[in-house]
């Protein structure tokens, strides 16, 4: 095995999530995790105007440093990716790897920075700022808990789609009716069906901001009916996801002997 | 078999929901589904004043086209309906079919358009606009998921009626008490028991718009009690419907090996 | 058996909830149920000023008629009550019966009317109006579903008390902390701990009227924590009651073969 | 056994939670519980300005009396604590006991009062007032129900941490996106990511105060999506805690014959 391959295989092992606390791979993992968390903290703090003003240069150098590290990480990951059996081919395998969700996140976390140099469009700067939040997703590789979402959603896909069709159907129906009922009394608030759908979601999810609500007797009667009926239907996706999670958690923690909803052994 | 009967039977088969992707019946289904969706989109967009102004003629011609298609569809459906064994009689069978929910929806989706010609009453125009939303229900024929609602509601009818009596009882009781408690302090808001019931629903469903809330010490104390107790009782229909849906979904997807709520094998 | 006893026993049977549709007892039941519902409708309508103004004499005569009927019913019920084996004694048995919840409701439904004659105090009139809502409870005798509440609450008494202590504890703790945190910034709104408890209930039940909310950074941080933690604890009574009801419903409908939460047979 | 040890052992038994109604230990327990409740009532009432003004001396003497009693109780508890087998050593054992949660609560309930004498700093007075709420926790020793929290939280620790990571992740993601979307239209309300997180919690918990809500079309679309998706994920900790409690309650009340969630015998 050539030196090239030895180094490549070493890099591969180091980049993999470490299982032995304290070795180099573990240290690199810890370093990247800390850097991701610091990036998220930086994004949050930079949004506070007084802080972003005072520490603008610090934020810039930290950004530069982070992008360099994440770029090196990305290049290394692409380089060694064809050591995975499923991405074996030097070109097409690496390309296939580059299109996996985790690799795309790695790319999206750094790409906007480089795009900034192509032009100085202000909208691009704005876009760049939003896209930085993708760095938060980089942590998904290290937190196995987050991979639960994938498994739960894919396992319950069919039920979720059915319940989404329900809720959309209900939302359309109630918003259309409510628009015609309330539009006369509140033409600026219930100004169109899309506007009324904001009321519909706010009511059906029981958030109830209070920026829109029916004021006519007919609107309040229908609104009350919608609130009562709607809650039942909107409970559906909640119930599906909740049961999906508790199922997955029960599988994961191997506490298969007892019902996760009531804790009694079977 | 006469040419008449051959054509009739052909039309019947085409109008039935197709099971073979790509044949004529499937193409007609797809065309009608797309037309329904476009109608719903048109209803939504037409409610936005700026759009309805600019494209008023486009909306009119699309409406005309839709009504013609839906009318032809309706006439064909009535014509061939006596081919169903349960609606066999040429007159009474067709009448019985015309009174089924799906056929009534088909009629209500086009009828208001024709009623418009009988007079030019503005209220009728308004009515016509609201009734167009029935076109959304036409899609129910093609989405088997929506027939779940029927089955769930009819299976859980008894429980739902009991819980509705509960909630109505609770709503009446709390609204009456709250009216007498808050009316003195907020005579315009808690102006009558029906008005106070709007507060009651808003609180018991935890929507809480914030347009009405008690301000007296006694009213806030009672309101707090009602919120806590009421949530427990209002959770009942939610729970019944949610369990009803998960029951039906479990039946439908034939995943009979495990309980959808606790993941435990049966 | 004397004529007196024959009549008494006949009255007793008539007043009992009938099991045979169409007989005299059933007709009397129906009459009283309709009268109760009309009373509730009258209470609601009378609260609407425009209606109560225009039909004040109609409301008065209906009130008079109702009180006379309910008084006769009450006297008859007390008279025949010692035919129940458990209230056998002519004096102490009848007294014991008069103190049962249903008999007390019957008394409270008419008593305020007679108290009105003792003085013309305006506060008494107000009291009288509130107490009329007890007539709604009279219907509990005829709707077996409402007796579910009693059974559920008494079966789950222990759990409910524990969860009430929890919620009270949590409410006290969060309201006290929030008062000291927000009082400086919003002295009129978070003016005292009892006032802040109104915010606490509104947040913990997720009603969120929006009349009170923290505005300081510390207050919003704590408020967010309280909202997240609190929801978990407040879900407890909801869950207990919901499971209690579904248990009772399962018992009642004898559908003992399948789990009420997932519908799978056991 | 010396008189010293007899007295010490007697004090130990008296301070322990009594199991025999009516004996000295029970009377002392009752006295301390009543004193704790009165302290909580005093804290609540003192926060009402009109009351605290009028009865300022009464509040002061009650405070003095309470602190004296709680101090004596604390000294006695520390003194006899080395009679517990696990805190046997006269010095290190007592120190270890003093660091248990219940002993720390006892200390924090009186310490602020003594610190007041060291200086007359107004901030310290404020601190002192907040810390008095720790007296509420003193009651935890007597209410076994409150120890449930500990057991439930520690039993479900792993699931709760996973779901907390989820919710934090979701909160960060939605708040960051919403900040960039709404900041342009409402620069004072969605002024920074931390500020937007207040909106995020308010929406994800469905409290919906109504002090912050998106007004742009994009913001309302995303806000609606977040509300629908978020509710599913936020239901997770609720479900975990609720099931944890019902598990513990089932264990505690030894009602082992049936599942508390579905009423089915095991």
């Amino acid at each position: 095995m050539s030196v090239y391959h030895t180094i490549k295989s070493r890099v591969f092992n180091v980049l993999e999530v470490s299982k032995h606390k304290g070795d180099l791979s573990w240290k690199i993992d810890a370093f990247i995790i800390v850097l991701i968390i610091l990036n998220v903290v930086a994004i949050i703090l930079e949004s506070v105007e007084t802080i972003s003003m005072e520490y603008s240069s610090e934020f810039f150098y930290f950004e530069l440093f982070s992008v360099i590290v994440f770029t090196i990480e990305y290049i290394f990951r692409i380089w060694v990716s064809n050591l995975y059996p499923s991405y074996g081919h030097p070109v097409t395998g690496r390309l296939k790897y580059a299109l996996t969700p985790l690799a795309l996140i790695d790319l999206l976390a750094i790409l906007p920075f480089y795009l900034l140099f192509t032009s100085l469009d202000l909208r691009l700067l704005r876009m760049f700022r939003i896209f930085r939040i993708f760095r938060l997703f980089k942590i998904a590789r290290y937190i196995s808990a987050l991979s639960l979402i994938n498994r739960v959603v894919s396992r319950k896909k069919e039920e979720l789609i059915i319940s989404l069709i329900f809720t959309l159907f209900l939302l359309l129906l109630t918003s259309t009716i409510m628009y015609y009922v309330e539009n006369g009394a509140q033409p600026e608030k219930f100004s169109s069906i899309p506007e009324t759908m904001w009321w519909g979601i706010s009511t059906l999810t029981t958030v109830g901001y209070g920026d829109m609500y029916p004021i006519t007797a007919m609107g309040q009667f229908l609104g009350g009916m919608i609130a009562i009926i709607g809650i039942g239907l909107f409970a559906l996706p909640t119930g599906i996801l909740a049961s999906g999670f508790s199922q997955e958690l029960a599988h994961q923690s191997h506490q298969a002997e007892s019902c996760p909803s009531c804790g009694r052994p079977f």
Side-chain angles (χ1 to χ4, degrees), chain A residues 63-81:
Chain A
E63 175 65 29
L64 202 69
F65 173 73
S66 302
V67 168
I68 290 167
V69 172
F70 291 150
T71 305
I72 293 168
E73 185 209 349
Y74 182 69
I75 290 167
F76 274 152
R77 281 198 191 279
I78 295 293
W79 175 42
V80 304
S81 65

Side-chain angles (χ1 to χ4, degrees), chain A residues 160-198:
Chain A
L160 284 174
I161 289 169
I162 290 175
S163 65
L164 259 166
I165 291 171
F166 272 150
T167 51
L168 214 74
F169 193 92
L170 194 73
L171 186 62
L172 270 172
L173 188 69
T174 56
S175 299
T176 304
I177 295 171
M178 213 58 175
Y179 163 69
Y180 287 112
V181 170
E182 282 293 311
N183 177 255
Q186 306 185 79
E188 337 74 38
K189 289 205 167 169
F190 290 76
S191 62
S192 66
I193 294 174
E195 275 295 316
T196 311
M197 283 167 81
W198 175 239

Side-chain angles (χ1 to χ4, degrees), chain A residues 90-161:
Chain A
V91 179
T92 57
R94 277 187 177 123
L95 208 71
K96 252 175 74 186
Y97 174 80
L99 292 168
T100 59
L102 285 175
L104 278 173
I105 285 165
D106 284 340
L107 181 62
L108 286 169
I110 50 168
L111 195 67
F113 182 84
Y114 295 107
L115 285 177
L116 270 183
F117 291 103
T118 60
S119 86
L120 273 162
D121 192 340
L122 217 81
R123 267 176 311 171
L124 212 70
L125 185 75
R126 220 181 129 72
M127 201 74 168
F128 154 70
R129 284 178 188 281
I130 296 184
F131 268 76
R132 275 195 308 174
I133 197 64
F134 275 103
R135 292 183 193 161
L136 179 56
F137 285 109
K138 280 178 75 81
I139 216 160
R141 187 176 272 121
Y142 304 100
I143 301 175
S144 60
L146 288 179
S147 69
L148 260 179
I149 286 182
N150 273 328
R151 266 178 292 149
V152 168
V153 169
S154 62
R155 181 195 277 245
K156 297 274 173 182
K157 208 194 288 173
E158 210 187 323
E159 278 107 321
L160 284 174
I161 289 169

